[in-house]
Amino acid sequence: MENLELLIDFHIDAERQGPGSDEDTVKALNLTPLSKQSNLKVADIGCGSGAQTLVLAKELQADITAVDLFPEFLEKLTERAKASGLEGKIKTLEASMEDLPFEKESLDLIWSEGAIYNMGFETE
């Protein structure tokens, strides 16, 4: 089994692929000025199986694009979204964090809970 397959196999049934909780997601979201706005465009980058994506979908009036490199995690998120009645608010996108298809300034919020360290921060 390759390293990436081991990573997927280890995390696929976990609620989250990193530290945190639904409460932590809500707390961080409440630090933004966006929680009361509507028609938001949100990208959750490195979403994994989508624990925080589901919280964002519950808390925001938004169209959310959940992005992950691994289709297995996206499939799990799709199942969880359907079970929660949130499938209409979330679409999935299999893509690398380093090659995202979003136009500059097309999103109201870029979320990357527990995943941004994979690519780091840069300033332009």
Side-chain angles (χ1 to χ4, degrees), residues 49 73-83 87 90 92:
S49 62
F73 289 143
L74 296 174
E75 290 169 14
K76 184 68 79 169
L77 170 54
T78 299
E79 292 170 12
R80 295 172 75 192
K82 285 179 183 174
E87 69 272 17
I90 301 168
T92 60

Side-chain angles (χ1 to χ4, degrees), residues 56-68:
L56 294 173
K58 289 176 191 171
E59 296 290 323
L60 296 173
Q61 295 180 35
D63 292 323
I64 301 170
T65 302
V67 182
D68 204 275

Side-chain angles (χ1 to χ4, degrees), residues 16 18-19:
R16 291 180 174 267

Side-chain angles (χ1 to χ4, degrees), residues 12-71:
I12 194 68
D13 290 322
E15 183 177 338
R16 291 180 174 267
Q17 285 68 54
S21 66
D22 291 358
E23 293 80 18
D24 291 335
T25 301
V26 171
K27 184 176 181 180
L29 181 60
N30 286 335
L31 295 173
T32 76
L34 299 175
S35 62
K36 304 299 184 222
Q37 295 181 21
S38 59
N39 300 318
L40 296 170
K41 301 290 184 207
V42 175
D44 183 8
I45 311 300
C47 65
S49 62
Q52 71 287 335
T53 314
L54 297 172
V55 173
L56 294 173
K58 289 176 191 171
E59 296 290 323
L60 296 173
Q61 295 180 35
D63 292 323
I64 301 170
T65 302
V67 182
D68 204 275
L69 184 60
F70 304 114

